[in-house]
Amino acid sequence: MRFGSQIAWLFVAGGALSSAASSSNCSLTSSDTDVLEYTWVLSNFLNSFYQTVQLNQSVASLVSNSTSSSKALENLEGIVHADNLTAEAVREVSSQAPDFKEPSCQYTFPPVSGIQSFVKWAYQFESTLSGAFIGAAGYTQSPEVAFLLARLAAEHSAHATWIGSRVNSSMFQANATSLVPAYAPSQVLLKTNETGSLGTYLGDCVSAPKNPCGVLQIGPLEANITSSSAAGSSSSSVAGSSTPLTSASATATATSS
């Protein structure tokens, strides 16, 4: 009996040690810290952009579509609130990351001359963040960070879809050959004004995280570790307008907090 009990104890102890080892392998690393700092910069940028504009019935009327402008305004305010939650989510996960520090950024923003212009940029930025977080998920080996990025990508994709559906006649194509765009960090940090890139506005305050497994090539349906890099691409446009827009900020710059 004692021999059998010892064997059983060894199995239990071995399982516990295996579980502990497996758990320790999932701890956040410095590589995850780089991903989280990059993620925080993007989240905080969009929050800062929304703070430059005063949401009101005039803005809501443009995106009301078949709903009332009051309901549209509620949705816009809900989107801004959700964007604040994304930054808070990054902070919570980052508390587990070694040596995480919120980068100090001097953001700049594109000129917003009217309501149409604001909606255009909001749609483009929400779409970019959705694809950026999908792409960043390929740069972590941590379940917690991967879960966070998946959730953030879904959140911003929902925002982009709602805003886009208000101003675009068609959001989905029957002949599409790609899933929702995904953008590698190196593409997101490019200094262009196209969807998928934000480098023009971030002030070089963060570097692209490196993939711990090699170079990730993002294709239309999947991603693979290869010897050459590529990223998903996307473009979107919303017709411009000179409709006046009330701005809550006299400048087009912001400092991250």
Side-chain angles (χ1 to χ4, degrees):
M1 290 292 292
R2 291 181 62 187
F3 178 76
S5 298
Q6 289 174 345
I7 292 294
W9 181 87
L10 288 173
F11 275 119
V12 172
L17 289 172
S18 176
S19 176
S22 176
S23 177
S24 65
N25 290 338
C26 293
S27 299
L28 272 62
T29 66
S30 59
S31 177
D32 296 312
T33 299
D34 293 340
V35 172
L36 288 168
E37 289 180 350
Y38 164 79
T39 301
W40 185 87
V41 166
L42 301 188
S43 294
N44 194 53
F45 164 77
L46 187 54
N47 291 344
S48 299
F49 170 72
Y50 282 130
Q51 290 171 13
T52 67
V53 175
Q54 180 180 336
L55 297 179
N56 52 36
Q57 291 291 343
S58 296
V59 179
S61 64
L62 177 66
V63 295
S64 60
N65 206 341
S66 60
T67 61
S68 66
S69 59
S70 60
K71 289 293 185 181
L73 183 59
E74 288 180 13
N75 280 321
L76 287 172
E77 291 172 341
I79 286 174
V80 173
H81 177 66
D83 285 333
N84 290 329
L85 291 179
T86 65
E88 181 59 31
V90 177
R91 285 193 182 98
E92 290 189 8
V93 176
S94 298
S95 65
Q96 309 170 44
D99 301 320
F100 173 86
K101 295 181 180 178
E102 295 180 358
S104 178
C105 302
Q106 292 286 341
Y107 301 122
T108 59
F109 305 107
V112 176
S113 57
I115 297 173
Q116 286 275 12
S117 177
F118 163 71
V119 173
K120 168 190 178 293
W121 288 111
Y123 175 51
Q124 181 167 324
F125 290 156
E126 291 283 3
S127 299
T128 296
L129 260 65
S130 171
F133 293 146
I134 295 172
Y139 286 71
T140 180
Q141 293 179 305
S142 161
E144 292 95 336
V145 177
F147 179 86
L148 170 69
L149 291 167
R151 203 169 193 178
L152 297 187
E155 184 71 41
H156 288 286
S157 180
H159 297 176
T161 300
W162 185 83
I163 296 173
S165 68
R166 306 291 99 180
V167 293
N168 290 336
S169 59
S170 176
M171 288 294 296
F172 304 98
Q173 290 75 43
N175 61 347
T177 58
S178 173
L179 295 174
V180 62
Y183 306 116
S186 58
Q187 178 177 348
V188 175
L189 297 181
L190 289 177
K191 295 182 178 181
T192 75
N193 291 324
E194 298 178 357
T195 301
S197 298
L198 293 173
T200 300
Y201 314 111
L202 302 182
D204 298 318
C205 68
V206 70
S207 299
K210 295 181 179 179
N211 194 300
C213 298
V215 177
L216 186 71
Q217 180 175 358
I218 299 175
L221 301 178
E222 60 181 343
N224 298 283
I225 297 295
T226 67
S227 58
S228 61
S229 62
S233 62
S234 174
S235 62
S236 61
S237 62
V238 181
S241 171
S242 58
T243 307
L245 178 69
T246 302
S247 175
S249 173
T251 64
T253 61
T255 303
S256 64
S257 56

